[in-house]
Amino acid sequence: MPPKNVAAAKAKPSPKPAATKAKGATTTKAQTQPAGGTKGKTESGATGEKKAEPAPVMRLGTTIEFKQLARVLFEDEGNKIKDSGRWPLLIDENGQATTFLRYRDTNILTAMTATDMIPETMRKALLGALRYGKPLVLDLMESDMFDTCSERFDEIFPGLMSCIMDKSIMKEENYGKLIKDGDGDEYKLYLFNDEIMENFRFIIISSKLQPPASLLDQTYVVRLNVPT
């Protein structure tokens, strides 16, 4: 038997393993892809500009100039507040309105003043405003304390804040619950007059540009324009 051609066998090239080629292709592809390319596009956007803050949501209400304040809050020019069935929420960023109201015949409760948040103090402020037909002002300042204030009012009697917000506090069966024996003769139930009580107002003030949505939804928003 003739001998095998050993030289030819050695000359025949061996095929490369398929796995080696596939691994090399994968590595090459990963190296050509920019690191963090997708993430960078998502965070910065196509133009690389920072996303703008959403504009304040305007519920039922209006924007006024400072000189219109008395006509809107006290005289209800155009009956807009009355027709809304809500009390006004005055958004006053620089405190002008708060100062203005302190010099009017109003009863003011400040949410961030501890003594003003004593239920007995709140009761007397509300009772006096109803008896003499004048505004009761709740100044929240920059806080989100409306719910806390509501809880303090409800300590006077359950559901009081709801009675204030829906205006049923102006009914005898509700404001009569505020009267105590030691309040003096001027607060006798028979002295409360419906015509005088028509001038009662409940005004909430906030210095936050965007108060909580739950508060905006319950009020007629009066936004005081701040000149730029």
Side-chain angles (χ1 to χ4, degrees), residues 3-180:
K4 292 181 180 181
N5 191 342
V6 177
K10 289 182 179 180
K12 186 177 180 180
S14 301
K16 294 181 180 181
T20 303
K21 182 177 181 181
K23 182 176 181 181
T26 304
T27 303
T28 303
K29 184 176 180 181
Q31 290 174 343
T32 57
Q33 182 177 355
T38 304
K39 183 178 179 182
K41 184 177 181 180
T42 302
E43 292 180 350
S44 60
T47 62
E49 295 178 357
K50 185 178 180 181
K51 187 177 179 181
E53 293 293 330
V57 177
M58 174 61 83
R59 262 71 171 187
L60 182 64
T62 187
T63 299
I64 65 170
E65 303 296 331
F66 181 77
K67 63 183 179 181
Q68 299 174 277
L69 196 57
R71 296 201 304 271
V72 172
L73 291 183
F74 300 135
E75 300 170 21
D76 192 13
E77 192 173 54
N79 290 325
K80 293 180 179 180
I81 297 175
K82 182 178 180 180
D83 292 344
S84 75
R86 304 177 180 187
W87 295 119
L89 167 63
L90 180 60
I91 299 178
D92 174 29
E93 295 179 67
N94 59 16
Q96 289 185 79
T98 304
T99 302
F100 171 78
L101 290 171
R102 287 189 183 278
Y103 285 94
R104 302 292 294 235
D105 187 18
T106 61
N107 289 353
I108 297 182
L109 296 171
T110 303
M112 298 183 72
T113 300
T115 52
D116 282 4
M117 291 295 101
I118 297 172
E120 180 63 7
T121 302
M122 301 169 82
R123 180 189 73 84
K124 290 180 177 179
L126 174 58
L127 185 63
L130 289 164
R131 168 68 177 84
Y132 293 104
K134 59 184 183 178
L136 173 67
V137 179
L138 177 61
D139 186 6
L140 298 176
M141 302 178 71
E142 70 276 9
S143 73
D144 289 332
M145 292 181 62
F146 180 73
D147 289 343
T148 300
C149 294
S150 297
E151 292 171 3
R152 298 290 84 78
F153 272 112
D154 286 353
E155 289 181 26
I156 300 169
F157 69 76
L160 174 55
M161 182 53 96
S162 293
C163 288
I164 296 172
M165 295 302 290
D166 66 16
K167 303 188 179 184
S168 63
I169 190 59
M170 299 169 73
K171 295 181 179 179
E172 183 177 322
E173 61 265 29
N174 291 323
Y175 68 72
K177 298 176 185 178
L178 297 171
I179 303 172
K180 292 184 176 181

